[in-house]
Amino acid sequence: MKRVALFLDRDGVINIDKKYVFKIEDVEFLDGIFDLISYAKSLGYLIIIITNQSGIGRGIFSEKDFQILNNWMLDELKKNGAQVDKVYYCASHPTKGIGKYKKFDDRRKPNPGMFFEAKKDFNIDLSKSIMLGDKISDMKAGFSSGIKNLLLLSDKKRYSYSKNIKSLKDAIIYLE
């Protein structure tokens, strides 16, 4: 049986985007994220985080730094009733990456590779799933993967195939 997922970008949706967040002391969770994830889980959604992490590829922080922060964030989310099923991340950047990280990667948003990985890993029906992001690249990646329910957390940016929401509380109505 196919499953549905709520795909979430990390920086700008889970936590305030402070550009290259990799230290625990820099994390500030967005208001409403615990309730949104908890409610989505209660409706049967898988919770999947899809995040570009080019700070690794640029040499700003290491994959170990990312994993330490990621594990801490997942623990904090869980403590607050917001269980995440999986985190997919892409560390490469096609022009600003260093060494092995300087490459085109179909996993890096706006490309849909991470969504297709999740589809395979969890037997997800992408057409019935939801993508919530704060950047146009999130919307393009979701659209390219076949997701029809695209939520852009922004009152400024626009994308022709998404619905704009101003807060995470606004996203709850699209889950039902």
Side-chain angles (χ1 to χ4, degrees), residues 163-175:
K163 297 168 188 79
N164 277 53
I165 58 172
K166 293 182 181 181
S167 74
L168 293 175
K169 287 182 182 183
D170 294 341
I172 287 178
I173 63 170
Y174 294 101
L175 296 174

Side-chain angles (χ1 to χ4, degrees), residues 41 64 82 92 114 117 120 157:
K41 286 296 277 185
K64 182 178 178 186
S92 62
M114 289 187 279
E117 279 184 57
K120 182 181 171 196
K157 300 173 197 152

